[in-house]
Amino acid sequence: MTTAHDTTPQYPFTAVVGMDDLRLALLLNAVSPAVGGVLVRGEKGTAKSTAVRALSALMPHVDVVGGCRFACAPDAPDPGCPDGPHETGAVEDRPTRMVELPVGASEDRLVGALDIERALSEGVKAFEPGLLADAHRGILYVDEVNLLHDHLVDLLLDAAAMGASYVEREGVSVRHAARFLLVGTMNPEEGELRPQLLDRFGLTVEVAASREPEQRVSVVRRRLAYDADPAGFAARWAAEEDELRHRIAAARELLPEVTLGDAALRQIAATCAAFEVDGMRADIVMARTATALAAWAGRTDVLEEDVRQAALLALPHRRRRNPFDAPGLDEDKLDQTLEEFGADQNADGEDDPDPDGPDGGPDGGGPDGGGQPPQDGGPQESPHTESPELPHQQEREAPQAPEGPEAPEAPGRQEQPAAPEQSQEGAPGAGGQKAAVGATEPFRTRRLDVPGLGEGADGRRSRARTAHGRTTGARRPHGALGKLHLAATVQAAAPHQRARGRSGRGLVVRRDDLREAVREGREGNLVLFVVDASGSMAARKRMSAVKGAVLSLLLDAYQRRDKIGMITFRGTGAELALPPTSSVEAGAARLEQLPTGGRTPLSEGLLRAHEVLRVERMRDASRRPLLVVVTDGRATGGPEPVGRAARAARLLAGEGTASVVVDCEAGPVRLGLAGELARELQGTAITLDELRADSVSALVRTVQGNRKAA
């Protein structure tokens, strides 16, 4: 879908209230597409998509070869264009396209479809372009990019890296240029992005709804006015839109004249080294961003303020080491690094800043030397409504932090200081409650598999029939043809060639002859943790070790593309602490805050797990569950606690739920209750030591092996 065919005017970019960092990042990419796109992270309902869609109306028009489906530039057409070679002829002037990639899109919809039947019978490359072709020289927008299927992420990575898209079907291949501005939005609560895709975004910004009542009033008033009369609302902001469009064009013209001096380049390199970012892409993106900032401000030299702003936009998402690390930068450390290397260069007399100083730029503006936009001329809706200011750099003396709650700090990085072991008022009947303790350092765990062969979403845990992997057979296609199994197709068509009157070299192929490959790979599962938080687990060192183990399993689930959920039980009941989600950050946060104490209602935890899995089967029947019970196996509280827990376990086993019991029992005398629970679940029991992948005493155990033994 492209905005070029929409009849309703887009919400004006200049009418977006607040979100200065987001608007600035988008405009810098409009000035210099080489910056590499924007990833917008934030809570739902913060106008992320509205701002991104509004950008397309500000982008300059592009000239394309008339009739070319791949948007070739008339002055430099792609020599490998499937519609080429192009003759000198009509030139089409059209708006920059913004193409939206749906989360549930198929591979053919993204890269295009090749007519295999015609390719085999006629030798013709009949190619239907996909979204990557539509997005060439435009914007590719992915809403909820963190929910994109892995195989589509791989295709995006390849296209972004090579600037081209390749479509191959059994030796028949088509290539076309695919250079686009990649813009993605995501809600971190729904899961994080793979590091490879995260690094492909040049800039990242965090957005949150304003907590200022007057600003929220302005947002609502403008949105209601737009919904009531989109055309009239757009007309009110037309002058501001034109002004911003001209400023983007002027900055683009100035960009080749901007000089990135040695002093600024050393500051960029020193900043990337100080924050230990991987690779060299961060340095390059920072350099391009700082240059675009200078052009946006109307300057031809890059100042320290540009380098600082570039770091705030280009580095936060590149310094994360694991999914529990909160994105962001230590701004004091950033200022110290810039001051240190800036002072060194000035002392050597190299690359002095602009003699006019930061306040003496061409526009005579604020600290960004022209980045501050004019404040008058915008439509006013009320005395409290903000004028449609354009994004500008933050003042160095008062940097603005993202609004809203910060992402949870990484648990398990260091032991939390011991809190006094004082009982607090707990839930009714819960008994004493002890304060939460920190987790030990996470470790690499052994892989726990679900038995059998599934058909769930692509992942890295259990065996499954998937769109990618090794070929294990062939079948008639159900719906659109996936990966062609050439040998099976030829074998199906061969007996009918004489009856079909074959006379030439081509093979006469009918649609009924087509066979697609059956592939086996790995799937992601729903890993549901049931964590014992009762008094029997409350010893400080013991609970820290248990939390470290669960944290390690959460990290393993993230790497294997699983959904996760968490149930905790203590006192008299069980609580769904984390509904099934793709966000391991949320799971880590719940785990860090988990208190302990009270009795051990094991049966309640298992019954709650049964109910959660029942609901999830109705939502996504193809995603198979793996139940991970973290307990010492004791059951106390209520009538017949041991027998009731055993019956709940047999209920789960009767439905075929794959289970693992992580035995947390400690001490010289062990009762072996966790092992008995595992037998009732028809699962496997492993100790905390055996859970470690690098443990010498650990045995190579999987759920499959245990169920066979049972």
Side-chain angles (χ1 to χ4, degrees):
M1 181 179 75
T2 65
T3 57
H5 303 296
D6 293 342
T7 56
T8 302
Q10 288 284 358
Y11 190 93
F13 189 87
T14 49
V16 175
V17 178
M19 299 196 296
D20 286 353
D21 285 344
L22 170 58
R23 293 191 291 164
L24 177 61
L26 292 172
L27 288 171
L28 291 177
N29 275 274
V31 171
S32 176
V35 166
V38 186
L39 174 63
V40 188
R41 297 164 48 94
E43 60 195 27
K44 54 185 176 295
T46 50
K48 301 186 296 292
S49 300
T50 298
V52 173
R53 292 188 177 99
L55 176 68
S56 61
L58 299 175
M59 299 288 285
H61 285 210
V62 295
D63 290 335
V64 301
V65 174
C68 178
R69 298 174 297 168
F70 301 87
C72 281
D75 54 345
D78 179 11
C81 176
D83 284 353
H86 296 298
E87 302 290 340
T88 303
V91 176
E92 178 185 345
D93 176 74
R94 75 177 189 198
T96 297
R97 287 178 175 173
M98 190 187 78
V99 178
E100 295 190 41
L101 172 61
V103 170
S106 66
E107 181 177 331
D108 285 347
R109 185 72 186 98
L110 177 62
V111 301
L114 199 60
D115 191 331
I116 298 298
E117 187 175 349
R118 291 189 62 192
L120 290 177
S121 60
E122 303 175 28
V124 176
K125 294 182 180 180
F127 181 66
E128 183 66 29
L131 295 177
L132 290 179
D134 292 341
H136 179 48
R137 302 177 67 200
I139 303 170
L140 181 62
Y141 171 50
V142 188
D143 194 12
E144 306 293 350
V145 64
N146 51 324
L147 303 182
L148 200 63
H149 290 299
D150 275 1
H151 68 286
L152 297 183
V153 170
D154 292 334
L155 293 170
L156 271 182
L157 289 176
D158 291 342
M162 298 183 294
S165 174
Y166 292 84
V167 183
E168 298 189 4
R169 294 290 188 274
E170 302 298 339
V172 181
S173 64
V174 173
R175 174 210 164 275
H176 64 82
R179 292 182 294 275
F180 46 82
L181 172 61
L182 182 60
V183 181
T185 58
M186 61 174 283
N187 182 352
E189 294 179 356
E190 296 173 338
E192 283 294 342
L193 274 176
R194 288 171 55 181
Q196 296 93 329
L197 183 58
L198 195 62
D199 189 50
R200 292 295 179 187
F201 288 96
L203 310 179
T204 184
V205 292
E206 297 275 346
V207 297
S210 172
R211 301 299 184 256
E212 294 295 329
E214 293 301 330
Q215 193 171 76
R216 296 174 76 97
V217 166
S218 183
V219 170
V220 173
R221 180 179 288 113
R222 292 185 187 184
R223 187 70 212 189
L224 292 177
Y226 171 77
D227 291 341
D229 182 11
F233 185 84
R236 292 176 57 195
W237 293 89
E240 282 66 35
E241 292 283 286
D242 287 340
E243 180 183 346
L244 187 55
R245 194 176 291 109
H246 292 322
R247 185 174 177 184
I248 291 172
R252 279 195 167 195
E253 291 182 5
L254 183 62
L255 186 64
E257 302 176 20
V258 176
T259 302
L260 180 66
D262 289 343
L265 194 53
R266 288 190 180 95
Q267 285 182 319
I268 290 171
T271 300
C272 293
F275 286 100
E276 300 179 348
V277 296
D278 295 331
M280 295 297 298
R281 183 175 282 115
D283 305 63
I284 296 171
V285 171
M286 271 191 66
R288 290 170 174 168
T289 304
T291 303
L293 280 162
W296 175 250
R299 288 184 271 101
T300 57
D301 55 342
V302 175
L303 304 182
E304 181 176 313
E305 286 78 9
D306 301 322
V307 176
R308 185 180 193 278
Q309 183 66 61
L312 293 175
L313 293 172
L315 296 187
H317 61 302
R318 291 187 165 90
R319 58 166 295 274
R320 304 185 66 183
R321 289 294 179 266
N322 66 55
F324 308 133
D325 289 339
L329 290 181
D330 182 341
E331 295 196 29
D332 291 336
K333 181 179 179 180
L334 173 60
D335 290 336
Q336 181 180 355
T337 303
L338 293 175
E339 182 178 356
E340 176 184 351
F341 282 84
D344 288 347
Q345 298 309 316
N346 291 337
D348 294 338
E350 299 178 12
D351 295 297
D352 289 331
D354 189 333
D356 293 333
D359 294 330
D363 293 338
D368 62 351
Q372 180 77 17
Q375 302 295 314
D376 55 351
Q380 300 295 320
E381 294 160 359
S382 76
H384 302 291
T385 300
E386 296 184 356
S387 60
E389 299 179 5
L390 305 182
H392 58 277
Q393 293 169 285
Q394 305 292 342
E395 295 190 15
R396 180 173 176 178
E397 292 77 13
Q400 299 294 319
E403 297 184 69
E406 296 182 358
E409 197 165 334
R413 281 301 185 194
Q414 59 184 12
E415 180 105 18
Q416 300 293 327
E421 300 244 6
Q422 298 177 353
S423 296
Q424 302 176 3
E425 184 90 22
Q433 172 179 308
K434 297 183 183 297
V437 298
T440 57
E441 188 75 16
F443 52 84
R444 188 168 64 90
T445 67
R446 293 191 176 277
R447 185 173 68 197
L448 304 173
D449 299 308
V450 176
L453 192 64
E455 294 185 349
D458 286 350
R460 295 183 177 180
R461 183 171 297 279
S462 305
R463 292 175 56 227
R465 294 187 182 93
T466 60
H468 302 83
R470 62 187 182 91
T471 301
T472 59
R475 66 182 178 187
R476 291 180 181 271
H478 303 293
L481 177 67
K483 180 70 174 178
L484 178 75
H485 195 297
L486 182 59
T489 299
V490 172
Q491 187 177 8
H496 308 289
Q497 295 305 296
R498 181 174 297 177
R500 292 173 182 174
R502 174 186 172 188
S503 57
R505 298 177 58 186
L507 189 67
V508 181
V509 179
R510 301 286 186 261
R511 182 155 297 276
D512 289 343
D513 301 328
L514 298 179
R515 299 291 185 270
E516 65 180 4
V518 176
R519 294 172 171 265
E520 183 178 312
R522 293 279 175 178
E523 68 177 358
N525 298 109
L526 167 60
V527 182
L528 182 61
F529 296 93
V530 181
V531 182
D532 187 346
S534 64
S536 65
M537 304 280 288
R540 183 166 300 279
K541 290 184 178 179
R542 185 179 178 192
M543 197 61 200
S544 292
V546 169
K547 285 189 174 183
V550 178
L551 193 68
S552 303
L553 289 166
L554 284 171
L555 181 58
D556 180 69
Y558 165 77
Q559 293 169 340
R560 299 190 188 283
R561 313 290 183 261
D562 296 318
K563 289 182 67 175
I564 60 167
M566 185 182 299
I567 293 170
T568 62
F569 59 94
R570 57 180 295 272
T572 60
E575 174 190 3
L576 181 59
L578 180 69
T581 177
S582 297
S583 175
V584 293
E585 282 184 320
R590 303 294 194 279
L591 184 68
E592 184 181 25
Q593 300 162 7
L594 178 64
T596 58
R599 294 183 179 273
T600 312
L602 177 58
S603 60
E604 298 301 323
L606 296 177
L607 290 173
R608 189 63 184 272
H610 176 268
E611 176 62 20
V612 170
L613 294 179
R614 184 187 67 82
V615 173
E616 287 302 309
R617 284 191 188 97
M618 292 188 293
R619 291 177 176 171
D620 186 359
S622 65
R623 187 179 287 271
R624 299 185 296 162
L626 174 63
L627 183 67
V628 179
V629 185
V630 185
T631 182
D632 57 9
R634 299 184 183 184
T636 61
E640 231 186 323
V642 177
R644 194 162 185 259
R647 289 192 293 274
R650 289 194 291 270
L651 179 63
L652 286 162
E655 295 186 346
T657 304
S659 305
V660 174
V661 178
V662 180
D663 186 356
C664 301
E665 192 174 25
V669 179
R670 305 198 178 197
L671 303 177
L673 298 176
E676 293 181 12
L677 175 62
R679 284 189 287 275
E680 295 288 0
L681 287 167
Q682 296 183 22
T684 188
I686 57 176
T687 65
L688 290 176
D689 285 339
E690 291 172 341
L691 185 62
R692 292 178 176 269
D694 56 355
S695 173
V696 176
S697 62
L699 300 176
V700 180
R701 299 183 181 183
T702 63
V703 180
Q704 174 77 46
N706 187 78
R707 290 175 68 90
K708 284 182 178 179

